[in-house]
Amino acid sequence: MRFTDILGVIGGLSLFLYGMKMMSDGLALVAGSRLKEILEKLTRNRYVGVLVGIVIAAIIQSSNATTVMAVGFVNAGLMDLSQAVGVIIGAKVGTTMTGQLLTLKADQIAPLVAMIGVTMIMFFKKKKVNHLGQVVGGLGILFLGMNMMSSSMSPLKDVVWFRNLIIQLENPIFGVLVGTLFTALIQSSSASVGILQAMAAQNVLTLGQAAPLVYGMNMGACVSAVLSSIGGKKDAKRASLLAILFSTIGAAIFITAGIFIPFPDWVASLTPDNPMRQVANLHTLFNLFSMLLILPFSNLLVKLSQKIVPGEDVQEDELKLVHIDEHAFGAASIGIAQVDAEVSRMHALARTNLEMAGAALLNQDPSNLDLINKNEETVDFLNKEITRCLVRINRLELTTSDAQRLSSMYHVVSDIERIGDHAQNIAEYSATCKERNASFSEEGKAELSNLMERTLKILDNAYEYFMNHSSHMMEDIENQEQAIDDLVDECTQNHIDRLNANLCDADSGLIFSEVLTDLERVSDHALNIAEAAVYHV
């Protein structure tokens, strides 16, 4: 084998891997945050989850990315293991579409396809066209690399040490091990199978020799999921383990069955004159049959993962990001989903503080003040850390809708932090009332209770609208905010009347006015949160 042939293999492999990544990234950007919404809403049933996993992996041409996304959503609490198992199994089937794509005879038009893609990237300003250009250009480069790699591999048939290595692959255990290690290195089963297709096209190896490599490649592709779960919750680790268990059990079944059933020979008979399609069909049918055999027992698979990774997550110091794993920020959709979960945690803490502060004030019982202060410290920490994470995600290439959502998230996080400040103010007023033995009149208590109830309601509605964009809610939220403003004016006038009638003292009167101001400001921030949703709907 000449040195130029070696360079051809290396260059072809480089183009092939780059084209695959370029196409996969472009497809992910074209799909954008819709992938997140699909995964969140359509995975309640594990069988539907399988279909979702197949479709998404086929769209973005990567089971790794789909599995990592599922692991990230499990870590963020947006998906449980029973939902994730279907997506992970389906992703293994969906990713085999890449191999089928490579069997198309596109050698002659590959340069033209690449040129069209490059033109779309360089000469068009619209992001959607640029992203579509990445898909088209990546596809062209993929085929160019495949053609270059395949033609340069032909002399391998005459290399003695390589022939001896291929003979060793007839040992299925050795073949699985080589396939696992190689794919773990390049972290893409689609790319590994593509290399096998290039070798098969030059008759460098038979389908029987390729079969254990394919089984191992499915196992090696799980490395990305394992890496993404490092530092995450136990369920995230279990989710990555599900991918390993599925591929390992599938390989064990096929290796054992291969002793009695000539599966590769049967697959080869389907397309006897097309070695590339034989490898692609083997990859597809292996994952498809594994899915059909293992999916009915997926609940047992989940239980097995829980046995291997036992126990619950230890509740640590509150000053920690619970849902965000920054190792997964390579994919914008995962980062945004995790930030959503962390912001929801921040909102829940601020809302809880507001409710506790109101109860403490009305009941003149500041016993929860320490807890409120601790929660407020966590809210301040989350404000800082979530903002830092938003800056990191913003550096990634984003779709227009994702970029708009991130921009609005900056404002929402700031508004929630300010709501927490107002809640703490009200809590401190309760302590002041206790110290000064100040109390409100029954009319004043009733007004504050009514105003607090309305403020909590608009806060809930505004955040629900921001997260879910519920139809026709915005007008109602605006009406609620105006009603609170009117109520504050009414309460202020009633308060002045009570002061003039000596029905309340100066100390409690001053605190009453401050509380009105704080609650009015909370309603303003709630409206800001709802308005932030308008910018990215």
Side-chain angles (χ1 to χ4, degrees), residues 18 21-22 24-30 32-33 121 126-135 329-333 336 391-403 406:
Y18 179 73
K21 184 178 189 312
M22 184 177 172
S24 178
D25 289 348
L27 285 164
L29 287 167
V30 169
S33 57
I121 294 170
K126 286 188 177 180
K127 277 194 172 183
K128 286 186 178 179
V129 177
N130 293 157
H131 297 159
L132 192 57
Q134 277 188 250
V135 178
F329 277 9
S333 56
I336 292 172
V391 171
R392 277 199 60 189
I393 299 172
N394 210 33
R395 291 173 185 158
L396 303 174
E397 190 169 1
L398 303 168
T399 63
T400 301
S401 61
D402 284 344
L406 283 182

Side-chain angles (χ1 to χ4, degrees), residues 370-404:
D370 287 342
L371 176 58
I372 291 171
N373 287 334
K374 184 179 178 182
N375 285 347
E376 173 59 16
E377 185 181 3
T378 304
V379 168
D380 289 341
F381 167 81
L382 291 176
N383 176 44
K384 177 183 174 183
E385 289 301 305
I386 292 173
T387 300
R388 181 180 60 80
C389 291
L390 288 172
V391 171
R392 277 199 60 189
I393 299 172
N394 210 33
R395 291 173 185 158
L396 303 174
E397 190 169 1
L398 303 168
T399 63
T400 301
S401 61
D402 284 344
Q404 289 173 340

Side-chain angles (χ1 to χ4, degrees), residues 79-287:
M79 184 185 293
D80 59 32
L81 288 175
S82 62
Q83 295 171 290
V85 67
V87 175
I88 290 168
I89 290 174
K92 289 291 186 180
V93 177
T95 195
T96 64
M97 296 302 104
T98 307
Q100 300 293 345
L101 182 67
L102 291 172
T103 62
L104 300 175
K105 298 297 182 181
D107 299 350
Q108 302 300 319
I109 64 169
L112 177 62
V113 173
M115 186 61 199
I116 292 172
V118 170
T119 301
M120 293 171 72
I121 294 170
M122 293 185 65
F123 299 107
F124 289 85
K125 294 182 179 180
K126 286 188 177 180
K127 277 194 172 183
K128 286 186 178 179
V129 177
N130 293 157
H131 297 159
L132 192 57
Q134 277 188 250
V135 178
V136 176
L139 184 62
I141 294 171
L142 181 79
F143 280 113
L144 285 172
M146 186 70 174
N147 185 43
M148 184 177 178
M149 183 169 54
S150 179
S151 61
S152 299
M153 280 183 175
S154 181
L156 279 174
K157 297 193 296 288
D158 303 321
V159 179
V160 176
W161 68 264
F162 189 80
R163 285 208 311 269
N164 293 334
L165 176 63
I166 293 298
I167 292 171
Q168 294 298 317
L169 292 178
E170 294 176 2
N171 180 333
I173 304 300
F174 180 71
V176 168
L177 182 62
V178 170
T180 301
L181 293 176
F182 182 74
T183 308
L185 181 64
I186 65 174
Q187 295 190 26
S188 172
S189 62
S190 296
S192 299
V193 171
I195 293 169
L196 284 186
Q197 289 178 274
M199 296 171 71
Q202 298 298 327
N203 297 315
V204 172
L205 81 173
T206 65
L207 190 62
Q209 293 164 336
L213 286 170
V214 171
Y215 307 154
M217 286 169 177
N218 276 272
M219 295 165 61
C222 301
V223 169
S224 295
V226 172
L227 292 176
S228 72
S229 70
I230 294 175
K233 297 180 182 177
K234 287 185 181 291
D235 269 354
K237 294 180 174 67
R238 291 167 186 146
S240 66
L241 184 59
L242 288 173
I244 298 174
L245 290 172
F246 172 77
S247 297
T248 303
I249 293 171
I253 291 173
F254 273 78
I255 289 173
T256 304
I259 300 173
F260 309 100
I261 303 170
F263 179 64
D265 293 341
W266 173 72
V267 174
S269 68
L270 299 176
T271 54
D273 300 323
N274 193 335
M276 286 186 67
R277 188 167 290 280
Q278 290 173 11
V279 175
N281 288 342
L282 180 76
H283 188 210
T284 299
L285 292 171
F286 164 69
N287 281 289

